[in-house]
Amino acid sequence: DAGVIQSPRHEVTEMGQEVTLRCKPISGHDYLFWYRQTMMRGLELLIYFNNNVPIDDSGMPEDRFSAKMPNASFSTLKIQPSEPRDSAVYFCASSWRGGLDEQFFGPGTRLTVL
Amino acid sequence: GQQVMQIPQYQHVQEGEDFTTYCNSSTTLSNIQWYKQRPGGHPVFLIQLVKSGEVKKQKRLTFQFGEAKKNSSLHITATQTTDVGTYFCAGPDYGGATNKLIFGTGTLLAVQP
């Protein structure tokens, strides 16, 4: 397996634009997590899915953020409209049993909003 | 809410010196996991501890889970430049479900050759 795949790896956009981040989890993993990492706030969980269903989105900063998982092999995190404070590295991770198992992280998307 | 704190936030050592990072949870954990993130990289799983008082070793790395299952430590013997990175502990969230991890604040290790 190629591991968790994320695209794009880098994204530079202007304030107000829509940004879509993509993730392909490891095949067979039932859980998918979206994290955001910044120097100030560390590694924050935004949302996680179990069997394609969003379970906990309490970490999503505001309505500008949305996430979907239309099938077991694909998820998106969308920011609309983007703001400079959204600049961060966004990681997708997957696991078999959620908090009871190791999580496999993707390489991340470095987002810069100008 | 549940918090997982790590100390120190940053440590700079000379190559060959030992290093220890400590992790403390505000709640009892069913397990604790450790991850390493190299500069510019992504977190990579190192190990999981489950039993009270458990000690596990991986070459120069020694991991320990406290008796009360609320704290843990990672000790590196004779650091090398390849040990550079941020070390995170993480434990399951008991606020609602055990299906998400709460990551600690991390310890950044710098190793001077």
Side-chain angles (χ1 to χ4, degrees):
Chain A
D1 201 321
V4 176
I5 299 172
Q6 289 187 248
S7 66
R9 294 292 307 275
H10 301 273
E11 177 81 27
V12 179
T13 190
E14 293 191 345
M15 182 174 62
Q17 296 297 306
E18 177 179 297
V19 175
T20 300
L21 311 182
R22 297 173 176 81
C23 174
K24 176 179 168 56
I26 292 173
S27 177
H29 282 188
D30 290 335
Y31 289 86
L32 183 140
F33 305 83
W34 282 101
Y35 291 91
R36 178 173 67 175
Q37 187 175 42
T38 61
M39 288 293 293
M40 291 298 295
R41 301 177 66 90
L43 194 60
E44 303 174 273
L45 177 67
L46 300 177
I47 185 172
Y48 81 92
F49 295 82
N50 179 23
N51 292 323
N52 312 338
V53 176
I55 302 299
D56 185 342
D57 65 355
S58 59
M60 296 286 261
E62 48 199 273
D63 292 344
R64 298 185 297 106
F65 286 69
S66 63
K68 294 181 179 179
M69 192 165 185
N71 56 62
S73 59
F74 183 67
S75 177
T76 60
L77 178 67
K78 186 177 292 187
I79 307 172
Q80 166 63 17
S82 59
E83 297 182 2
R85 59 191 169 124
D86 302 329
S87 297
V89 180
Y90 291 81
F91 290 107
C92 174
S94 69
S95 73
W96 281 286
R97 299 188 298 158
L100 301 179
D101 258 335
E102 67 177 284
Q103 294 190 3
F104 294 80
F105 281 76
T109 296
R110 181 173 295 276
L111 173 65
T112 302
V113 183
L114 303 174
Chain B
Q2 182 181 355
Q3 292 186 326
V4 180
M5 304 298 293
Q6 285 183 251
I7 55 171
Q9 285 188 321
Y10 171 79
Q11 182 139 17
H12 178 263
V13 300
Q14 295 282 340
E15 190 172 21
E17 292 182 338
D18 291 356
F19 160 78
T20 303
T21 174
Y22 300 91
C23 174
N24 292 284
S25 170
S26 58
T27 60
T28 302
L29 302 171
S30 63
N31 73 80
I32 193 146
Q33 301 177 20
W34 284 90
Y35 291 77
K36 176 184 178 181
Q37 184 176 19
R38 295 181 184 273
H42 58 277
V44 175
F45 175 82
L46 293 176
I47 206 163
Q48 177 174 278
L49 305 172
V50 179
K51 299 177 183 177
S52 170
E54 187 171 15
V55 178
K56 286 188 176 180
K57 292 189 176 184
Q58 290 180 348
K59 297 182 180 179
R60 295 178 294 104
L61 277 61
T62 301
F63 303 83
Q64 186 167 6
F65 201 7
E67 294 290 341
K69 301 183 76 172
K70 293 181 70 173
N71 61 288
S72 181
S73 64
L74 159 60
H75 179 82
I76 302 178
T77 303
T79 55
Q80 299 177 358
T81 54
T82 53
D83 296 325
V84 165
T86 301
Y87 293 85
F88 293 97
C89 62
D93 172 36
Y94 275 100
T98 59
N99 292 319
K100 64 181 183 181
L101 287 178
I102 304 298
F103 277 81
T105 47
T107 296
L108 173 60
L109 172 64
V111 180
Q112 184 168 352

